[in-house]
């Protein structure tokens, strides 16, 4: 991204050129100017640590990197012990811990928002904490913000985001670091991530973290987004699941299935990649309920502070608990990026908000909803698996490209009462195999994900 100083340099150079042109002979001044298209400045920066080299580049206190087909970070020798009181159960327990801190990453995009995501295995008796500390554009630092206390299960701690984190200049809203006043010009120019791995004292247990990283972004405020030009016609064979068939089931997880768009979408793609929970995994679910794997996904994506299943990194982390799957939360620039992923065989879960009349054929409006883009028609319209459907057979939908791009990419919208609300600005989840094909790797690399 071109920074403010370089922009001023360019403007000064243009002014000098203009002055020289005015003083030149009339014949030379009359020559037509050459128009050169300029690429738009990037709005998203992705940085993920996941290779053996990456793990060795960080600062370790009690952790070590392990090699293999999928390198990871584990506890070698605990750095100490710490008490943790679970805010949702009131239980206090002592844990051994070890830490790893990433190198400072200077974002190519001075950011107003940062969303971390991670892939880890946490066997019973272990869990992890993910923290972020950034540097502002004025040279001062944020505190260490907790981006999640996470475990794959819920027998040791209840996975949770942490509220009431602010320094008066930025705030963590569930899963998103956000500069409080973007109009002030304050930005986050760099950050570090810190992992703390916990285990029960006196055991040889350890979590294994395979990926950790973040998406930093500065998406401009916009109510409208121009539609991109279609470039692909393809449909992927993604399983179809409706969240609404689970209405009223297990209300302790976000009031039941009518709120389970995120885990339902995640489960569709997990199964597209050939993974699913075992019969033993599903044994806790009452017999006779349809698609118990969706119920399982709701339980194990549930954020006990947010009291919902829509925590973006928690969904990615859940997907990555299945063997050989990677997952990340990011933002994309347009449906052209989604087309490239779908063209490589990778479906995309997108987050959007809209009024009923803004998405033809949906039949509802929502302040926030997740769907899975599985393809594109020859006309470029979006083929989506929409979990907000009455049954599984009705899940496949076709939505107008221009409407979809608008409701997904905008950052500002009007609600039914005419009040200005926020939009997600292109947020999505992407899940893929840990050993992607060369074509898939090329697309993922171009997006900064591998």
């Amino acid at each position: 991204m071109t920074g403010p100083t370089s922009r001023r340099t360019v403007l000064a150079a243009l002014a000098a050129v203009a002055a020289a042109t005015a003083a030149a002979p009339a014949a030379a001044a009359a020559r037509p100017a050459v128009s050169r298209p300029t690429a738009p400045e990037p709005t998203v920066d992705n940085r993920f640590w996941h290779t053996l080299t990456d793990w060795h580049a960080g600062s370790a206190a009690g952790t070590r990197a392990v090699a293999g087909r999928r390198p990871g970070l584990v506890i070698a020798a605990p750095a100490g012990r710490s008490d943790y009181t679970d805010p949702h159960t009131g239980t206090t327990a002592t844990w051994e811990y070890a830490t790893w801190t990433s190198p400072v990453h200077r974002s190519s995009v001075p950011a107003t928002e940062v969303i971390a995501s991670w892939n880890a295995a946490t066997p019973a008796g272990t869990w992890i904490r993910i923290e972020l500390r950034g540097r502002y554009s004025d040279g001062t630092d944020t505190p260490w913000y907790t981006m999640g206390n996470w475990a794959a299960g819920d027998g040791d701690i209840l996975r949770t985001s942490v509220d009431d984190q602010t320094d008066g200049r930025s705030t963590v809203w569930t899963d998103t670091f956000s500069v409080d006043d973007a109009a002030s010009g304050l930005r986050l120019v760099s950050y570090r991530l810190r992992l703390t791995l916990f285990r029960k004292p006196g055991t040889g247990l350890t979590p294994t973290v395979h990926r950790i990283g973040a998406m930093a972004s500065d998406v401009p405020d916009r109510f409208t987004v121009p539609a991109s030009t279609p470039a692909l016609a393809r449909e992927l064979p993604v399983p179809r699941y409706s969240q609404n068939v689970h209405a009223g089931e297990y209300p302790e997880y976000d009031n039941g299935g009518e709120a389970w768009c995120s885990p339902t979408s995640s489960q569709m793609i997990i199964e597209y990649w050939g993974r699913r929970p075992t019969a033993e995994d599903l044994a806790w679910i009452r017999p006779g309920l349809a698609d118990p794997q969706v119920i399982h996904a709701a339980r194990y994506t549930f954020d006990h502070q947010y009291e919902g299943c829509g925590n973006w990194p928690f969904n990615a982390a859940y997907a990555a608990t299945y063997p050989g799957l990677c997952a990340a939360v990011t933002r994309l620039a347009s449906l052209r990026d989604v087309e490239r992923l779908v063209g490589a065989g990778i479906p995309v879960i997108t987050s959007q908000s809209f009024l009923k009349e803004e998405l033809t054929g949906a039949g509802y409006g929502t302040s926030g909803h997740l769907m899975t883009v599985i393809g594109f028609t020859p006309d470029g319209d979006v083929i989506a698996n929409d979990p907000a459907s009455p049954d599984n057979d009705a899940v496949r939908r076709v939505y107008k490209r221009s409407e979809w791009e608008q409701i997904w990419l905008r950052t500002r919208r009007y609600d039914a009462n005419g009040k200005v609300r926020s939009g997600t600005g292109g947020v999505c989840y992407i899940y893929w195999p840990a050993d992607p094909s060369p074509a898939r790797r090329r697309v993922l690399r171009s997006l900064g994900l591998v």
Side-chain angles (χ1 to χ4, degrees):
M1 180 176 181
T2 303
T5 300
S6 59
R7 277 200 296 269
R8 283 196 293 271
T9 303
V10 170
L11 290 173
L14 290 174
V17 170
T21 302
R31 286 198 295 266
V34 177
S35 175
R36 298 183 183 277
T38 57
E41 290 187 341
T43 59
V44 175
D45 174 275
N46 287 301
R47 177 61 171 106
F48 290 90
W49 289 269
H50 60 96
T51 68
L52 200 59
T53 300
D54 287 337
W55 296 127
H56 286 312
S59 301
T63 57
R64 67 179 176 90
V66 292
R69 291 184 60 190
R70 195 174 184 191
L73 193 76
V74 300
I75 296 174
R81 292 190 177 195
S82 177
D83 289 343
Y84 174 68
T85 301
D86 191 307
H88 309 295
T89 66
T91 301
T92 299
T94 300
W95 300 88
E96 293 179 342
Y97 69 88
T99 67
W100 179 88
T101 306
S102 76
V104 173
H105 173 63
R106 186 169 183 86
S107 175
S108 62
V109 176
T112 58
E113 292 188 339
V114 181
I115 301 172
S117 52
W118 55 90
N119 299 173
T122 56
T126 72
W127 58 283
I128 62 174
R129 174 176 294 144
I130 301 88
E131 297 170 283
L132 175 147
R133 188 178 194 186
R135 175 154 292 184
Y136 294 119
S137 48
D138 64 4
T140 61
D141 292 336
T142 73
W144 279 106
Y145 286 128
T146 298
M147 306 305 290
N149 290 327
W150 186 84
D154 49 19
D156 294 300
I157 69 160
L158 297 182
R159 81 190 64 81
T160 185
S161 54
V162 179
D163 285 348
D164 302 321
Q165 297 187 88
T166 183
D167 63 357
R169 312 177 79 197
S170 62
T171 302
V172 174
W173 301 103
T174 302
D175 50 19
T176 304
F177 163 94
S178 180
V179 171
D180 291 341
D181 182 9
S184 70
L186 185 69
R187 296 293 185 269
L188 200 76
V189 296
S190 64
Y191 63 84
R192 290 176 290 163
L193 297 176
R194 183 167 67 193
L195 280 166
T196 305
L197 284 61
F198 295 93
R199 74 180 181 193
K200 289 184 175 180
T203 70
L205 298 169
T206 182
T208 303
V209 181
H210 294 293
R211 285 174 59 91
I212 181 72
M215 177 272 296
S217 62
D218 185 6
V219 180
D221 283 349
R222 56 197 185 192
F223 284 88
T224 60
V225 179
S228 58
T229 303
L232 174 79
R234 184 181 183 184
E235 182 172 352
L236 303 177
V238 177
R240 303 171 190 172
Y241 292 127
S242 163
Q243 69 194 64
N244 288 333
V245 302
H246 302 283
E249 296 175 0
Y250 290 91
E252 60 267 39
Y253 304 119
D254 203 3
N255 296 312
E258 57 265 44
W260 291 353
C261 58
S262 194
T264 305
S265 295
S266 289
Q267 194 61 39
M268 292 189 222
I269 297 189
I270 289 165
E271 293 189 26
Y272 167 77
W273 291 119
R275 279 74 167 175
R276 61 186 298 139
T278 65
E280 183 180 358
D281 293 333
L282 302 177
W284 64 274
I285 298 171
R286 294 191 303 272
L289 297 180
D291 304 328
Q293 63 270 38
V294 173
I295 303 170
H296 183 270
R299 174 177 173 177
Y300 292 105
T301 57
F302 188 71
D303 176 347
H304 289 262
Q305 180 63 42
Y306 177 62
E307 296 185 332
C309 302
N311 181 307
W312 293 331
F314 284 13
N315 272 263
Y318 167 72
T321 63
Y322 288 89
L325 278 189
C326 295
V329 179
T330 189
R331 279 188 164 102
L332 297 178
S334 76
L335 281 174
R336 293 297 296 272
D337 285 338
V338 181
E339 285 177 331
R340 292 196 296 128
L341 287 160
V342 169
I346 302 173
V348 179
I349 299 173
T350 63
S351 178
Q352 47 271 310
S353 308
F354 53 91
L355 301 175
K356 181 179 178 179
E357 59 270 23
E358 290 183 306
L359 189 61
T360 303
Y364 63 90
T366 175
S367 60
H369 184 54
L370 282 296
M371 301 190 221
T372 300
V373 180
I374 66 168
F376 295 86
T377 69
D379 293 331
D381 289 333
V382 173
I383 306 172
N385 277 4
D386 186 347
S389 301
D391 54 46
N392 291 353
D393 290 340
V395 162
R396 182 189 180 276
R397 308 284 189 92
V398 176
Y399 291 123
K400 293 182 179 179
R401 184 187 188 94
S402 59
E403 293 180 347
W404 183 281
E405 210 147 29
Q406 183 102 303
I407 64 172
W408 172 48
L409 293 175
R410 65 188 176 186
T411 60
R412 292 288 182 269
R413 62 187 178 85
Y414 293 103
D415 67 12
N417 298 315
K419 293 184 177 180
V420 176
R421 303 294 185 186
S422 63
T424 66
V427 166
C428 60
Y429 317 158
I430 302 174
Y431 307 157
W432 70 93
D435 54 349
S437 67
R440 289 170 180 159
R441 186 176 295 276
R442 283 193 297 271
V443 175
L444 292 165
R445 183 179 291 118
S446 72
L447 297 172
L449 299 176
V450 299

